[in-house]
Amino acid sequence: MRVCILGGGTAGWMTASALSKKLKNVIKSIVLVESEAIGTVGVGEATLPHIRLFNEALGIDESAFMKKTEATFKLGIEFCDWGRLGDKYIHPFGDFGQKIDGIDLYQHLLKLSRHGDYGVLDNYSFGISAAKNAKFQLPRSGKTSLQQAFGYAYQFDAGLYAKYLRQFSETHGVHRIEGKVVDTQINNDSGNVTSITLDDSQQIDADLFIDCSGFRGVLIEQVLKSGYQDWSNWLPCNRAVAVPCERQKHLPPYTRATARQAGWQWRIPLQHRTGNGHVYWNEFISDDEAAAVLLNNLDGPALGDPKQLFFKTGRRNHFWKNNVVAIGLSAGFLEPLESTSIHLIQEGITNLLELFPHENADPLDVSEYNTRMSLQFERVRDFLLLHYVATKRDDSEMWRYFTNMTLPDSLQQKIDMWLHRGYVQRYEFGAFLPPSWIAVMMGQNLLPKNYDPRVDNSNFDHVKQRSQAMRADIAGAVNNATTHADFLDIFGAASHTELRRAK
Ligand SMILES: Cc1cc2nc3c(=O)[nH]c(=O)nc-3n(C[C@H](O)[C@H](O)[C@H](O)COP(=O)(O)OP(=O)(O)OC[C@H]3O[C@@H](n4cnc5c(N)ncnc54)[C@H](O)[C@@H]3O)c2cc1C
């Protein structure tokens, strides 16, 4: 089997690393073609905890990788002004507190809140409390420890990550070719792509092509006409303007997403700079106004000029068609509100490894792959949309648009079940588990009418004592934890002398 990967962005080099490491005795050759003249999308800095599994599977050393990619730890995302203007909450990675009498803590809290002793959900998450205090530690082992019940991800420079993985891939035998694809040869009987031709007339033959060519979708769309499901009726933001600014001294270990009149703004603290961007719907704000909103809301001086990006949310009809598999932006795009794009790349790679063809792509594998990836995309879409509809905001055209929207059935059912009895329907596939849904729904004041009746079976005083003990346990642990900046230094991940002197 000869594999050709088209594209050397995050998607291309993640795919090259994984295939060269995990299928080295199965794949005869891996060629990666990229064009420096075209370049990469150049944004994408916040991730989900799953990426740690990806790096671990490659055998990457965590502190060395963090140092090379200017990475910081990420404990979650702080959402400002989403439920109502002035509201704030953090969506952490991991659960809230521990079960009491076998029932999730949040169910007990729903009852406690009726008696005036709620104790905000935040106080039951080590990740949230640590994030608010700019502290960090690795999860502790021990099943019952509240300091074990959180996850973490990274905020990094995606360009440096791709560079890091390029080195990894080349060491594992991947052959990189610089050039621009100008032509494609197709087998008329099978419809498969047999080779691509570059601008220097070089022809590259392969049995399987991975299209990581970004929004262009050079093979999956321009050649194979997969088609695109346009989801902009649900997620209408279609542009972004991005600019880095000077790094923050105390390095918050979390991403921030602040809702705006016609979109939202991200802030992602890295070791060497802070990434910022304004995602917006151009129907209700001009490009110049959007850039002004961004530049007026930075934490430090801008480093360079704002960069404009255009997109349409949705996904390809077929992620895998004939002998072409689309991974990355070529597969589809969902706005970066919950940092899901790199995660969807990882899902694409994981599913491809699990369904990797023997010789020719079998329709059964293709169909299974497409089903899994469709579900992954749809579930992320629903979760993102939840942020826009679980709100009381109606102070601009964009927010009013969401108040009248017909939701996808899958999301409507999930919200109905939550409102009815505080239950979060579980999925077989999908990045976000019930605690994530609970964090956003409760964080945005979408509260259920009822709690689980089994809660009434518990002794009320016992529940109060247990919940108070959990709050105290977390507060004490956060108090004893190291600052994020110091932890990077101790961990051997600090790239800057300035950071190493931050104590
Ligand atoms: C505004 C915005 C913010 C984002 N923020 C995040 C975030 O915080 N977290 C996250 O996980 N993701 C984020 N993303 C998504 C993330 O940037 C992408 O998922 C990631 O960078 C992968 O991109 P890619 O490799 O698919 O495409 P690209 O980076 O566009 O790379 C495409 C590659 O294909 C090559 N290519 C294209 N055409 C040809 C041709 N004809 N011949 C040869 N080579 C060709 C290019 O040279 C390039 O190497 C964001 C995206 C946007 C738009």
Side-chain angles (χ1 to χ4, degrees):
M1 168 75 73
R2 298 158 306 165
V3 173
C4 174
I5 299 169
L6 173 58
T10 318
W13 287 114
M14 281 179 75
T15 307
S17 309
L19 296 191
S20 61
K21 170 88 179 179
K22 295 289 169 193
L23 294 174
K24 66 170 183 280
N25 298 326
V26 175
I27 299 177
K28 200 167 136 206
S29 64
I30 304 177
V31 170
L32 184 145
V33 176
E34 66 174 317
S35 158
E36 267 173 31
I38 294 177
T40 62
V41 74
V43 276
E45 297 165 327
T47 61
L48 294 183
H50 313 65
I51 194 163
R52 284 165 44 213
L53 298 176
F54 184 82
N55 285 352
E56 271 168 38
L58 297 183
I60 284 175
D61 177 79
E62 191 174 23
S63 57
F65 137 81
M66 290 187 74
K67 199 171 183 171
K68 278 267 163 62
T69 59
E70 300 284 353
T72 56
F73 289 102
K74 175 183 171 190
L75 288 167
I77 304 180
E78 181 183 52
F79 288 92
C80 304
D81 296 337
W82 283 85
R84 285 172 304 210
L85 275 166
D87 278 3
K88 257 186 200 182
Y89 70 95
I90 292 182
H91 165 203
F93 303 124
D95 225 333
F96 292 97
Q98 290 160 335
K99 289 180 193 258
I100 300 177
D101 297 334
I103 310 294
D104 287 332
L105 179 74
Y106 78 91
Q107 291 283 2
H108 292 283
L109 294 182
L110 289 171
K111 177 172 176 180
L112 283 181
S113 66
R114 297 183 180 190
H115 297 268
D117 184 7
Y118 173 22
V120 285
L121 205 51
D122 293 14
N123 297 338
Y124 298 90
S125 157
F126 176 85
I128 295 181
S129 302
K132 283 181 174 173
N133 289 282
K135 300 268 187 98
F136 187 78
Q137 71 179 33
L138 295 173
R140 299 267 153 90
S141 54
K143 276 206 175 98
T144 54
S145 168
L146 284 164
Q147 294 172 58
Q148 179 259 348
F150 73 96
Y152 69 90
Y154 311 111
Q155 301 162 137
F156 59 39
D157 182 326
L160 294 177
Y161 185 52
K163 206 167 148 191
Y164 188 86
L165 294 181
R166 172 178 167 183
Q167 201 175 15
F168 178 97
S169 305
E170 290 183 324
T171 317
H172 284 78
V174 174
H175 178 48
R176 174 191 180 273
I177 297 178
E178 169 67 34
K180 187 176 169 196
V181 175
V182 288
D183 201 7
T184 318
Q185 291 69 47
I186 303 276
N187 178 313
N188 286 336
D189 296 330
S190 64
N192 284 351
V193 175
T194 53
S195 59
I196 53 177
T197 309
L198 307 187
D199 47 359
D200 63 358
S201 306
Q202 195 178 168
Q203 187 168 313
I204 297 157
D205 303 322
D207 305 300
L208 184 70
F209 287 84
I210 319 287
D211 186 345
C212 299
S213 64
F215 286 128
R216 289 176 178 76
V218 171
L219 301 178
I220 197 74
E221 195 57 58
Q222 292 178 12
V223 177
L224 292 186
K225 314 273 182 244
S226 163
Y228 197 74
Q229 282 192 24
D230 180 349
W231 287 344
S232 40
N233 56 325
W234 287 310
L235 294 171
C237 286
N238 55 359
R239 291 187 183 190
V241 55
V243 74
C245 72
E246 279 183 13
R247 63 179 286 267
Q248 288 178 284
K249 284 237 158 37
H250 73 292
L251 279 190
Y254 58 91
T255 294
R256 175 182 285 163
T258 306
R260 302 272 179 233
Q261 296 284 308
W264 60 277
Q265 179 168 344
W266 80 75
R267 182 194 73 176
I268 306 177
L270 312 185
Q271 290 191 37
H272 62 325
R273 57 169 164 78
T274 299
N276 306 280
H278 182 190
V279 172
Y280 59 97
W281 185 3
N282 76 331
E283 178 94 0
F284 299 127
I285 190 169
S286 72
D287 295 338
D288 287 346
E289 283 168 326
V293 168
L294 174 68
L295 293 170
N296 289 336
N297 288 286
L298 300 179
D299 287 341
L303 303 171
D305 294 326
K307 178 181 173 181
Q308 185 95 43
L309 296 124
F310 305 86
F311 52 82
K312 188 193 278 179
T313 39
R315 66 163 179 91
R316 294 277 167 235
N317 284 335
H318 308 276
F319 300 94
W320 185 341
K321 191 166 183 208
N322 297 344
N323 65 336
V324 173
V325 185
I327 295 182
L329 297 173
S330 60
F333 184 70
L334 295 167
E335 57 176 88
L337 185 57
E338 285 279 0
S339 324
T340 43
S341 283
I342 293 175
H343 173 71
L344 288 168
I345 293 172
Q346 184 178 344
E347 284 295 338
I349 294 169
T350 307
N351 286 312
L352 178 61
L353 288 174
E354 283 180 19
L355 297 165
F356 201 78
H358 291 285
E359 278 173 26
N360 298 314
D362 189 288
L364 282 173
D365 295 335
V366 174
S367 157
E368 176 68 16
Y369 182 92
N370 284 327
T371 304
R372 289 186 193 182
M373 290 308 294
S374 307
L375 288 172
Q376 292 285 357
F377 267 77
E378 278 165 27
R379 282 160 186 179
V380 171
R381 175 201 66 198
D382 286 2
F383 190 56
L384 300 187
L385 182 49
L386 173 70
H387 298 65
Y388 286 99
V389 295
T391 183
K392 300 251 176 324
R393 284 194 67 165
D394 60 0
D395 51 288
S396 69
E397 295 269 22
M398 184 192 80
W399 292 104
R400 285 191 285 279
Y401 173 84
F402 287 104
T403 56
N404 297 318
M405 175 181 280
T406 306
L407 301 182
D409 290 345
S410 46
L411 177 59
Q412 190 62 59
Q413 269 172 23
K414 199 141 180 159
I415 291 178
D416 288 347
M417 198 63 191
W418 167 256
L419 291 175
H420 165 58
R421 58 181 294 136
Y423 173 72
V424 183
Q425 285 177 332
R426 286 168 172 78
Y427 298 140
E428 189 189 349
F429 296 102
F432 296 102
L433 299 175
S436 291
W437 287 80
I438 291 163
V440 176
M441 293 193 280
M442 292 188 62
Q444 296 192 196
N445 282 303
L446 190 70
L447 299 178
K449 294 186 207 69
N450 288 308
Y451 54 80
D452 186 327
R454 289 175 299 170
V455 162
D456 287 332
N457 214 37
S458 291
N459 178 294
F460 194 55
D461 288 333
H462 169 69
V463 170
K464 277 172 126 175
Q465 278 161 15
R466 284 275 292 118
S467 54
Q468 199 174 0
M470 284 182 220
R471 293 202 297 263
D473 190 358
I474 285 175
V478 170
N479 204 25
N480 290 333
T482 321
T483 65
H484 181 212
D486 282 354
F487 190 88
L488 287 168
D489 184 12
I490 296 162
F491 194 59
S495 69
H496 274 56
T497 23
E498 203 188 324
L499 249 184
R500 290 199 286 271
R501 279 193 250 109
K503 282 171 246 181

